Amino acid sequence: MKAIKINNKEIGDNNPAYIIAEMSANHAGSKERALKIISAAKKAGADCVKVQTYTPDTITLNSNKKWFQIDKGTWEGENLYSLYQKAYTPWEWQEDLKKEAERIGIDFFSTPYENEAVDFLENLDVDFYKVASFSITNIPFLKYLAQKDKPIIMSTGMATLGEIEDAVKVIRENGNDKLALLNCSSAYPSIPDDMNLKKIGHLKETFNLPVGLSDHSLGSVAAVTSIAMGAKIIEKHFCLSREIENPDSSFSMEPDEFKNMVEDIRAAERAIGKIDYSLTEKQKESRKFRRSIFVTNDIKADEKITENNIKIIRPGYGLKPKHWDKVLGKKVIKDIDKGEPLIWDIIKE
Protein backbone atom coordinates (compact mmCIF):
# COMPACT_ATOMS: atom_id res chain seq x y z
CA MET A 1 0.00 0.00 0.00
CA LYS A 2 1.30 3.43 -0.92
CA ALA A 3 1.42 5.64 2.18
CA ILE A 4 0.89 9.40 2.10
CA LYS A 5 2.73 11.94 4.19
CA ILE A 6 1.11 14.92 5.88
CA ASN A 7 3.61 17.27 7.43
CA ASN A 8 5.77 14.95 9.55
CA LYS A 9 3.17 12.18 9.84
CA GLU A 10 2.97 9.17 7.52
CA ILE A 11 -0.44 7.62 6.95
CA GLY A 12 -0.27 3.96 6.04
CA ASP A 13 0.49 0.48 7.31
CA ASN A 14 2.56 0.24 10.50
CA ASN A 15 1.60 3.79 11.50
CA PRO A 16 -0.95 5.00 14.06
CA ALA A 17 -4.30 6.17 12.73
CA TYR A 18 -4.47 9.86 11.84
CA ILE A 19 -7.34 11.39 13.81
CA ILE A 20 -9.24 14.40 12.46
CA ALA A 21 -11.54 16.64 14.48
CA GLU A 22 -14.09 18.08 12.05
CA MET A 23 -15.23 21.51 13.21
CA SER A 24 -17.80 22.02 10.45
CA ALA A 25 -20.65 24.20 11.75
CA ASN A 26 -19.86 23.74 15.44
CA HIS A 27 -18.43 27.25 15.73
CA ALA A 28 -22.11 28.33 15.55
CA GLY A 29 -21.15 31.68 14.04
CA SER A 30 -18.47 32.62 16.59
CA LYS A 31 -14.83 33.03 15.62
CA GLU A 32 -13.85 32.93 19.29
CA ARG A 33 -15.61 29.59 19.62
CA ALA A 34 -13.84 28.33 16.52
CA LEU A 35 -10.48 29.15 18.10
CA LYS A 36 -11.51 27.37 21.31
CA ILE A 37 -12.50 24.29 19.30
CA ILE A 38 -8.99 24.12 17.83
CA SER A 39 -7.43 24.23 21.29
CA ALA A 40 -9.90 21.67 22.67
CA ALA A 41 -9.24 19.31 19.74
CA LYS A 42 -5.52 19.43 20.42
CA LYS A 43 -6.07 18.64 24.12
CA ALA A 44 -8.43 15.78 23.22
CA GLY A 45 -5.70 14.08 21.20
CA ALA A 46 -6.64 14.96 17.62
CA ASP A 47 -3.84 15.08 15.05
CA CYS A 48 -5.70 17.60 12.97
CA VAL A 49 -8.61 20.03 12.95
CA LYS A 50 -10.63 20.51 9.77
CA VAL A 51 -12.89 23.27 8.53
CA GLN A 52 -14.94 23.67 5.36
CA THR A 53 -14.43 26.37 2.76
CA TYR A 54 -17.57 27.44 0.93
CA THR A 55 -20.26 30.10 1.12
CA PRO A 56 -23.99 29.70 0.53
CA ASP A 57 -23.54 31.42 -2.84
CA THR A 58 -20.68 29.19 -4.00
CA ILE A 59 -22.42 25.96 -3.09
CA THR A 60 -26.07 26.51 -4.05
CA LEU A 61 -28.70 29.04 -5.17
CA ASN A 62 -30.85 31.25 -2.99
CA SER A 63 -34.06 29.64 -4.16
CA ASN A 64 -37.23 28.43 -2.50
CA LYS A 65 -38.14 26.08 -5.33
CA LYS A 66 -38.89 22.51 -4.29
CA TRP A 67 -35.51 21.18 -5.44
CA PHE A 68 -33.76 23.28 -2.79
CA GLN A 69 -35.84 22.05 0.15
CA ILE A 70 -34.76 19.28 2.56
CA ASP A 71 -37.70 17.02 3.38
CA LYS A 72 -36.07 14.29 5.49
CA GLY A 73 -33.43 13.71 8.15
CA THR A 74 -31.66 15.95 10.65
CA TRP A 75 -32.24 19.09 8.59
CA GLU A 76 -35.83 18.38 7.54
CA GLY A 77 -37.70 21.56 6.63
CA GLU A 78 -34.56 23.56 5.87
CA ASN A 79 -33.84 25.37 2.64
CA LEU A 80 -30.33 24.60 1.33
CA TYR A 81 -29.27 28.24 1.15
CA SER A 82 -30.42 29.05 4.70
CA LEU A 83 -28.81 25.85 6.03
CA TYR A 84 -25.44 26.75 4.51
CA GLN A 85 -25.77 30.29 5.86
CA LYS A 86 -25.89 28.80 9.35
CA ALA A 87 -23.16 26.25 8.73
CA TYR A 88 -20.39 27.89 6.72
CA THR A 89 -17.11 29.06 8.20
CA PRO A 90 -16.43 32.66 7.11
CA TRP A 91 -13.40 32.78 4.85
CA GLU A 92 -12.01 35.84 6.61
CA TRP A 93 -11.56 33.72 9.79
CA GLN A 94 -9.60 30.93 8.21
CA GLU A 95 -6.14 32.48 8.12
CA ASP A 96 -6.35 33.17 11.85
CA LEU A 97 -7.67 29.67 12.51
CA LYS A 98 -4.75 28.18 10.61
CA LYS A 99 -2.28 30.35 12.51
CA GLU A 100 -3.77 29.27 15.84
CA ALA A 101 -3.50 25.61 14.84
CA GLU A 102 0.13 26.10 13.86
CA ARG A 103 0.84 27.94 17.12
CA ILE A 104 -0.41 25.11 19.31
CA GLY A 105 0.94 22.30 17.11
CA ILE A 106 -2.08 20.69 15.45
CA ASP A 107 -2.50 20.18 11.70
CA PHE A 108 -5.08 22.30 9.88
CA PHE A 109 -6.80 21.65 6.59
CA SER A 110 -10.11 22.21 4.85
CA THR A 111 -12.74 20.83 2.51
CA PRO A 112 -13.10 23.10 -0.53
CA TYR A 113 -16.14 22.63 -2.73
CA GLU A 114 -15.21 24.57 -5.87
CA ASN A 115 -12.16 25.97 -7.64
CA GLU A 116 -12.57 29.39 -6.02
CA ALA A 117 -12.22 27.81 -2.57
CA VAL A 118 -9.14 25.87 -3.69
CA ASP A 119 -7.51 29.11 -4.87
CA PHE A 120 -8.30 30.74 -1.54
CA LEU A 121 -6.76 27.85 0.40
CA GLU A 122 -3.71 27.81 -1.87
CA ASN A 123 -3.13 31.44 -0.89
CA LEU A 124 -3.28 30.33 2.75
CA ASP A 125 -0.67 27.66 1.93
CA VAL A 126 -2.83 24.82 3.27
CA ASP A 127 -0.80 21.58 3.13
CA PHE A 128 -3.51 19.10 2.10
CA TYR A 129 -7.18 18.84 1.20
CA LYS A 130 -10.36 16.92 1.95
CA VAL A 131 -12.86 15.97 -0.75
CA ALA A 132 -16.37 15.60 0.63
CA SER A 133 -18.56 12.67 -0.38
CA PHE A 134 -20.85 15.10 -2.15
CA SER A 135 -17.98 16.18 -4.44
CA ILE A 136 -16.71 12.75 -5.51
CA THR A 137 -18.61 12.91 -8.82
CA ASN A 138 -17.49 16.48 -9.60
CA ILE A 139 -14.78 15.36 -12.02
CA PRO A 140 -13.76 18.84 -13.27
CA PHE A 141 -13.27 19.94 -9.64
CA LEU A 142 -11.24 16.83 -8.79
CA LYS A 143 -9.02 17.45 -11.81
CA TYR A 144 -8.38 21.04 -10.69
CA LEU A 145 -7.67 20.00 -7.11
CA ALA A 146 -5.36 17.13 -8.12
CA GLN A 147 -3.19 19.50 -10.12
CA LYS A 148 -2.22 21.34 -6.93
CA ASP A 149 -0.15 18.20 -6.16
CA LYS A 150 -1.01 18.11 -2.47
CA PRO A 151 -2.28 15.14 -0.43
CA ILE A 152 -6.00 14.51 -0.78
CA ILE A 153 -8.26 12.63 1.65
CA MET A 154 -11.47 11.73 -0.16
CA SER A 155 -14.73 10.51 1.37
CA THR A 156 -16.71 7.93 -0.58
CA GLY A 157 -20.19 8.20 0.94
CA MET A 158 -23.08 7.50 -1.50
CA ALA A 159 -20.59 6.57 -4.23
CA THR A 160 -20.77 3.38 -6.25
CA LEU A 161 -17.57 1.44 -6.81
CA GLY A 162 -17.53 2.75 -10.37
CA GLU A 163 -17.81 6.36 -9.19
CA ILE A 164 -14.93 5.82 -6.77
CA GLU A 165 -12.88 4.30 -9.60
CA ASP A 166 -13.59 7.35 -11.79
CA ALA A 167 -12.57 9.77 -9.02
CA VAL A 168 -9.35 7.92 -8.18
CA LYS A 169 -8.50 7.65 -11.87
CA VAL A 170 -8.86 11.38 -12.59
CA ILE A 171 -6.73 12.30 -9.57
CA ARG A 172 -4.00 9.88 -10.63
CA GLU A 173 -4.17 10.91 -14.28
CA ASN A 174 -3.50 14.47 -13.20
CA GLY A 175 -0.22 13.52 -11.61
CA ASN A 176 -1.33 13.17 -8.01
CA ASP A 177 -0.73 9.86 -6.23
CA LYS A 178 -0.95 11.31 -2.71
CA LEU A 179 -4.44 10.01 -2.03
CA ALA A 180 -6.35 8.31 0.80
CA LEU A 181 -9.98 7.19 0.88
CA LEU A 182 -12.55 7.29 3.66
CA ASN A 183 -15.42 4.88 4.01
CA CYS A 184 -18.45 6.97 4.86
CA SER A 185 -22.18 6.70 5.37
CA SER A 186 -23.54 10.08 4.33
CA ALA A 187 -26.39 10.13 6.81
CA TYR A 188 -26.49 12.51 9.77
CA PRO A 189 -26.33 10.72 12.12
CA SER A 190 -25.36 7.37 10.61
CA ILE A 191 -26.68 4.14 12.13
CA PRO A 192 -24.63 0.95 12.63
CA ASP A 193 -26.65 -0.97 10.04
CA ASP A 194 -25.48 1.41 7.32
CA MET A 195 -21.78 1.63 8.24
CA ASN A 196 -20.52 -1.46 6.34
CA LEU A 197 -17.04 -1.26 7.82
CA LYS A 198 -15.95 -4.29 5.78
CA LYS A 199 -15.65 -1.87 2.87
CA ILE A 200 -12.48 -0.49 4.49
CA GLY A 201 -10.50 -3.62 3.66
CA HIS A 202 -12.06 -3.88 0.20
CA LEU A 203 -11.22 -0.27 -0.68
CA LYS A 204 -7.64 -0.77 0.51
CA GLU A 205 -7.24 -3.94 -1.54
CA THR A 206 -8.94 -2.50 -4.63
CA PHE A 207 -7.08 0.81 -4.83
CA ASN A 208 -3.88 0.07 -2.87
CA LEU A 209 -4.38 3.24 -0.84
CA PRO A 210 -4.64 4.14 2.84
CA VAL A 211 -8.28 3.91 3.91
CA GLY A 212 -10.10 5.27 6.92
CA LEU A 213 -13.53 6.22 8.24
CA SER A 214 -15.46 9.46 8.11
CA ASP A 215 -17.78 8.74 11.00
CA HIS A 216 -21.13 10.47 11.48
CA SER A 217 -22.49 7.89 13.90
CA LEU A 218 -23.14 8.51 17.58
CA GLY A 219 -20.49 7.29 20.00
CA SER A 220 -17.15 5.69 19.17
CA VAL A 221 -17.98 2.04 18.45
CA ALA A 222 -17.66 2.44 14.68
CA ALA A 223 -14.42 4.40 14.92
CA VAL A 224 -12.71 1.92 17.25
CA THR A 225 -14.01 -1.10 15.33
CA SER A 226 -12.76 0.35 12.06
CA ILE A 227 -9.21 0.31 13.44
CA ALA A 228 -9.43 -3.49 13.57
CA MET A 229 -10.66 -3.40 9.96
CA GLY A 230 -7.50 -1.57 8.87
CA ALA A 231 -8.56 2.08 9.10
CA LYS A 232 -5.64 4.52 9.12
CA ILE A 233 -7.66 7.76 9.31
CA ILE A 234 -10.58 8.60 11.59
CA GLU A 235 -12.63 11.73 11.03
CA LYS A 236 -15.21 12.70 13.63
CA HIS A 237 -17.30 15.86 14.11
CA PHE A 238 -16.13 17.80 17.17
CA CYS A 239 -17.86 20.43 19.30
CA LEU A 240 -17.38 22.15 22.63
CA SER A 241 -20.91 21.19 23.68
CA ARG A 242 -23.96 19.76 21.96
CA GLU A 243 -25.95 22.34 23.89
CA ILE A 244 -24.57 24.98 21.49
CA GLU A 245 -27.12 24.54 18.71
CA ASN A 246 -25.99 24.45 15.11
CA PRO A 247 -26.62 22.17 12.10
CA ASP A 248 -23.97 19.63 13.20
CA SER A 249 -24.19 19.63 16.99
CA SER A 250 -26.53 16.64 17.34
CA PHE A 251 -24.02 14.15 15.88
CA SER A 252 -20.78 15.74 17.11
CA MET A 253 -18.51 14.61 19.95
CA GLU A 254 -17.75 16.74 22.98
CA PRO A 255 -14.11 17.01 24.14
CA ASP A 256 -14.25 14.33 26.87
CA GLU A 257 -15.96 11.90 24.50
CA PHE A 258 -13.42 12.57 21.77
CA LYS A 259 -10.55 12.13 24.22
CA ASN A 260 -11.97 8.76 25.32
CA MET A 261 -12.36 7.72 21.69
CA VAL A 262 -8.72 8.60 20.95
CA GLU A 263 -7.57 6.61 23.99
CA ASP A 264 -9.68 3.63 22.88
CA ILE A 265 -8.28 3.85 19.34
CA ARG A 266 -4.71 3.89 20.63
CA ALA A 267 -5.47 0.95 22.94
CA ALA A 268 -7.02 -0.95 20.02
CA GLU A 269 -3.90 -0.32 17.93
CA ARG A 270 -1.70 -1.69 20.70
CA ALA A 271 -3.97 -4.70 21.11
CA ILE A 272 -3.93 -5.46 17.37
CA GLY A 273 -0.14 -5.43 17.51
CA LYS A 274 1.63 -7.69 15.02
CA ILE A 275 1.97 -11.37 14.13
CA ASP A 276 4.31 -12.54 16.87
CA TYR A 277 4.26 -15.89 18.69
CA SER A 278 7.08 -15.05 21.08
CA LEU A 279 6.04 -14.78 24.71
CA THR A 280 5.99 -11.69 26.85
CA GLU A 281 7.48 -11.89 30.32
CA LYS A 282 3.96 -11.96 31.79
CA GLN A 283 3.00 -14.83 29.52
CA LYS A 284 6.14 -16.73 30.49
CA GLU A 285 5.27 -16.26 34.14
CA SER A 286 1.73 -17.54 33.54
CA ARG A 287 2.96 -20.74 31.89
CA LYS A 288 3.77 -22.24 35.28
CA PHE A 289 0.04 -22.49 35.92
CA ARG A 290 -0.55 -24.80 32.96
CA ARG A 291 -1.26 -28.47 33.64
CA SER A 292 1.59 -30.97 33.81
CA ILE A 293 2.20 -34.50 35.10
CA PHE A 294 2.53 -34.77 38.89
CA VAL A 295 2.97 -37.68 41.28
CA THR A 296 -0.29 -38.18 43.19
CA ASN A 297 0.72 -41.20 45.29
CA ASP A 298 4.17 -42.12 46.66
CA ILE A 299 6.25 -44.15 44.20
CA LYS A 300 9.09 -46.38 45.43
CA ALA A 301 12.37 -46.81 43.56
CA ASP A 302 12.06 -49.28 40.68
CA GLU A 303 8.26 -49.13 40.89
CA LYS A 304 6.22 -48.61 37.72
CA ILE A 305 4.42 -45.42 36.85
CA THR A 306 0.68 -46.05 36.47
CA GLU A 307 -2.54 -44.13 36.15
CA ASN A 308 -2.97 -44.64 39.88
CA ASN A 309 0.13 -42.70 40.93
CA ILE A 310 0.32 -39.80 38.47
CA LYS A 311 -2.16 -37.21 37.23
CA ILE A 312 -2.30 -34.23 34.87
CA ILE A 313 -2.91 -31.23 37.12
CA ARG A 314 -1.84 -27.65 37.67
CA PRO A 315 0.86 -26.27 38.04
CA GLY A 316 3.20 -26.73 35.11
CA TYR A 317 6.52 -27.87 36.64
CA GLY A 318 6.23 -31.48 35.53
CA LEU A 319 6.34 -33.12 32.12
CA LYS A 320 3.93 -31.82 29.51
CA PRO A 321 0.65 -33.78 29.18
CA LYS A 322 1.67 -34.93 25.69
CA HIS A 323 4.18 -37.32 27.38
CA TRP A 324 1.45 -39.19 29.33
CA ASP A 325 1.48 -42.34 27.19
CA LYS A 326 5.28 -42.39 27.05
CA VAL A 327 5.75 -42.51 30.83
CA LEU A 328 3.07 -45.07 31.69
CA GLY A 329 4.74 -48.41 32.52
CA LYS A 330 8.18 -46.87 33.00
CA LYS A 331 10.06 -47.33 36.29
CA VAL A 332 11.50 -44.64 38.52
CA ILE A 333 15.10 -44.62 39.73
CA LYS A 334 14.38 -43.42 43.28
CA ASP A 335 11.60 -42.85 45.78
CA ILE A 336 9.25 -40.01 44.81
CA ASP A 337 6.82 -38.41 47.21
CA LYS A 338 3.25 -37.44 46.42
CA GLY A 339 3.13 -33.84 45.16
CA GLU A 340 6.44 -34.02 43.28
CA PRO A 341 6.49 -33.09 39.57
CA LEU A 342 7.30 -35.99 37.28
CA ILE A 343 10.45 -35.22 35.29
CA TRP A 344 12.66 -37.22 32.90
CA ASP A 345 15.62 -37.30 35.30
CA ILE A 346 13.82 -39.68 37.66
CA ILE A 347 12.53 -42.08 35.00
CA LYS A 348 14.49 -45.15 33.88
CA GLU A 349 15.18 -45.40 30.18
Side-chain angles (χ1 to χ4, degrees), residues 13-14 232 267-280 283:
D13 288 340
N14 304 315
K232 290 300 175 183
E269 289 172 331
R270 294 193 299 273
I272 290 166
K274 58 188 177 182
I275 298 172
D276 183 2
Y277 290 95
S278 62
L279 300 181
T280 65
Q283 287 176 320

Side-chain angles (χ1 to χ4, degrees), residues 18 44 67 134 138 155 165-166 172 176 201 228-229 273 276 286 288 317 344:
Y18 188 76
W67 300 285
F134 292 88
N138 188 349
S155 281
E165 287 173 341
D166 289 344
R172 285 173 166 165
N176 193 328
M229 309 299 287
D276 183 2
S286 294
K288 67 185 180 184
Y317 295 100
W344 290 123

Side-chain angles (χ1 to χ4, degrees), residues 11-135:
I11 299 174
D13 288 340
N14 304 315
N15 293 290
Y18 188 76
I19 301 176
I20 301 168
E22 162 70 273
M23 182 186 305
S24 192
N26 282 303
H27 52 71
S30 166
K31 181 180 176 182
E32 181 182 359
R33 185 176 294 119
L35 292 167
K36 288 181 179 178
I37 287 172
I38 293 171
S39 177
K42 168 71 173 178
K43 290 177 182 176
D47 295 297
C48 176
V49 66
K50 187 178 82 67
V51 299
Q52 301 188 23
T53 306
Y54 66 88
T55 71
D57 293 298
T58 64
I59 204 168
T60 192
L61 290 178
N62 188 2
S63 172
N64 288 318
K65 291 186 180 294
K66 63 181 180 180
W67 300 285
F68 296 88
Q69 310 303 317
I70 303 172
D71 56 11
K72 289 181 181 179
T74 300
W75 304 305
E76 182 179 352
E78 286 275 9
N79 163 273
L80 282 179
Y81 191 89
S82 64
L83 175 67
Y84 296 136
Q85 272 188 319
K86 298 173 186 175
Y88 90 108
T89 303
W91 293 22
E92 61 269 21
W93 296 0
Q94 294 190 24
E95 182 175 8
D96 288 343
L97 299 184
K98 180 173 180 286
K99 286 179 178 177
E100 175 63 10
E102 290 169 345
R103 185 185 71 80
I104 66 172
I106 187 171
D107 292 343
F108 176 92
F109 79 137
S110 181
T111 304
Y113 286 84
E114 55 283 314
N115 296 2
E116 181 183 354
V118 174
D119 294 340
F120 171 80
L121 293 168
E122 282 291 290
N123 286 331
L124 287 187
D125 198 25
V126 170
D127 294 312
F128 59 114
Y129 292 106
K130 169 76 187 293
V131 171
S133 293
F134 292 88
S135 297

